[in-house]
Amino acid sequence: MTVPVGDAVGDPVGGPRAATEDADIVQELTAGHREVQRLFDLIRASEPGGDVRRRAVERVGAALARHADVERRFLHPAVRTYVPDGERWAAAGLAAHAETARVMAALAGRDPAGEEATELVLTLTTVVTRHVLDQEQRLFPRVWAACPPEVLRDLGLRVRRARGAPAPRLSPTVPDSPRELARAARRVGVLDRVRSALTRRRRTG
């Protein structure tokens, strides 16, 4: 199956303007990427230390936290279930989120008008863009090819519903083994709930 995905700067198929109420999880997450990229454009165009940049950095932090949360809750369990070598792909995603969180934490402690803050914004843009490209060019085609369409649509609906929730905090740490990843998922009930939904089985306890 050939999957049309957007590049790092243009509008994707199923992006924020094209997404509909039946958009699947890949389209929803790609739309989220575009939201973050527009905020990065605003940051780059704004004056260091100014109110516009400060508010844009706050907004991008909230957007990244929310995006990482829905990936952990909905994308990663589906990747583990359906995509070949899915555990590795999910672990890579969690590592990217942790790296993003570390940069955001460092940025929060810097003078917004200082040179260090400017350098950290550049680092954040680089880290996030690398993650976006890896997902859109390598992971999302695999997800689209491996997951049943009804699962993709159901997860897209879950992502849309989750957008109304307050943005969680990005965690700068990530489990470093498959066993620890599974434990972390079970602690928040993610793995069991999503697997149950994907297989259409009633939870037994």
Side-chain angles (χ1 to χ4, degrees), residues 9-204:
V9 294
D11 280 337
V13 173
R17 293 180 180 83
T20 63
E21 292 183 357
D22 62 349
D24 65 34
I25 187 171
V26 171
Q27 293 168 319
E28 292 291 347
L29 293 178
T30 304
H33 292 166
R34 295 302 172 268
E35 175 193 3
V36 169
Q37 287 159 358
R38 284 193 297 271
L39 289 170
F40 281 143
D41 289 342
L42 180 59
I43 290 170
R44 284 191 289 264
S46 62
E47 179 183 358
D51 287 342
V52 172
R53 175 168 290 195
R54 178 182 55 79
R55 288 194 297 268
V57 169
E58 291 174 354
R59 287 174 61 194
V60 83
L64 288 170
R66 187 174 291 106
H67 192 81
D69 181 60
V70 297
E71 285 193 2
R72 284 192 297 266
R73 292 167 61 193
F74 307 122
L75 176 66
H76 294 166
V79 166
R80 293 187 184 101
T81 299
Y82 291 105
V83 176
D85 206 13
E87 192 67 59
R88 181 181 66 83
W89 283 106
L94 289 171
H97 296 161
E99 186 178 7
T100 298
R102 286 192 289 269
V103 179
M104 287 297 303
L107 186 60
R110 299 296 186 274
D111 176 6
E115 184 177 342
E116 287 186 347
T118 300
E119 292 176 353
L120 284 167
V121 167
L122 178 60
T123 300
L124 180 66
T125 305
T126 301
V127 167
V128 173
T129 300
R130 183 173 64 233
H131 176 58
V132 166
L133 287 172
D134 192 48
Q135 284 196 325
E136 293 187 8
Q137 295 180 359
R138 302 177 63 212
L139 176 59
F140 286 176
R142 288 171 168 82
V143 172
W144 240 328
C147 291
E150 63 274 14
V151 170
L152 295 173
R153 288 192 297 270
D154 179 65
L155 292 174
L157 176 61
R158 291 167 183 264
V159 170
R160 288 192 294 279
R161 288 174 174 170
R163 283 205 183 111
R169 290 183 178 272
L170 277 168
S171 172
T173 59
V174 60
D176 57 6
S177 74
R179 180 172 295 179
E180 290 173 350
L181 285 167
R183 286 175 183 163
R186 292 190 192 101
R187 277 198 296 271
V188 294
V190 171
L191 192 58
D192 290 340
R193 288 200 306 271
V194 176
R195 280 185 174 166
S196 177
L198 295 176
T199 57
R200 309 296 183 189
R201 293 175 182 169
R202 180 173 298 175
R203 292 172 64 184
T204 59

